[in-house]
Amino acid sequence: MADGPHGYRTDDVARLLDVPVHRVRAWARAGFVSPARGPRNELRFSFQDLVLLRTAAELARGRIPQRRITRTLLKLQRELPHGRSLTELHIHVAGDEVVVRDHGEPAWNPSSGQFHIDFDTADIASRIAEIAPATARAEARGAAAVDRFAAATGERADPDGRTAGDWFELAVELEGAAPAEARRAYGRALALDASLADARVNLGRLLHDAGLIADAEAAYRRVLAAVEHALAAYNLAVLLEDAGRSTEAIQAYARALAADPLLAEAHYNLARLYEQQGDERAAIRHLNGYRELMKGR
């Protein structure tokens, strides 16, 4: 189904979404997805493309005109997070209003309007996992081969010629269908280039999801020891909050805001934590900060 970091073929996407192949190609021409090209110049779609195409398929089933679908999804395309897992997104569409929730955080609205759709992007990953076990196994074998090569030679070079960036892209694609293999791929990217902060942050999130809390915390803290990274600090704060370490979580959310003052979700979570601690003034300050930033969206 997926060929390394090159993504999903048109016929696979059509089968996943239960739409004709020509419809997938038409949506690709509409411009709200940006598929890559495979070795034979065929279209290859990323998981982010699948999220948008799934939304398009649901809107089309609601008999929404193509022009409105394109306009709505162009707006959504600009807002979807890149370089991180999309499997925890929850999308609700009402008219041209697309409301997205990310990992239990406050909703954000890239557009406005009236028809109704409601789905989790995780179900796309579930369907991918059902029809792509061979791909996941092949990637696991590839990662194991690299590990054996490194152990035998002491070199960090990749015998398959993959760069750290290639492994990073592969890991992003594997997150939905095969998170364990995605963790291995992020590990290979970091073995080739330990400075890839985004790879280590994504790996930390996958470790957190797998219940490997200490390993996840170590990954985030290693990033933050080298650079001020808003997402690393934010994810660390979420982990600390989940672990009941509220005071440390507040410090990490504040660090995330210092690195990215536009991180509205950090304001929201700080307001909630300060309210729990009885600090009403701080809670109101951060709630106002959240509301002010959301106005801009």
Side-chain angles (χ1 to χ4, degrees), residues 25-26 34 38 43 66 81 107 133 142 145 150-151 154 188 198 209 231 239 255 266:
R25 292 190 179 119
S34 303
L43 294 176
Q66 182 58 47
R188 290 315 309 159
D198 289 344
D209 290 344
L231 186 56
L239 181 150
R255 187 170 182 178

Side-chain angles (χ1 to χ4, degrees), residues 19-40:
V19 297
V21 169
H22 69 82
R23 180 68 62 85
V24 177
R25 292 190 179 119
W27 286 332
R29 291 193 298 271
F32 54 79
V33 291
S34 303
R37 290 284 179 175
R40 299 178 182 176

Side-chain angles (χ1 to χ4, degrees), residues 53 76 112 132 182 267:
L53 291 170
L76 178 57
S112 61
H267 273 300

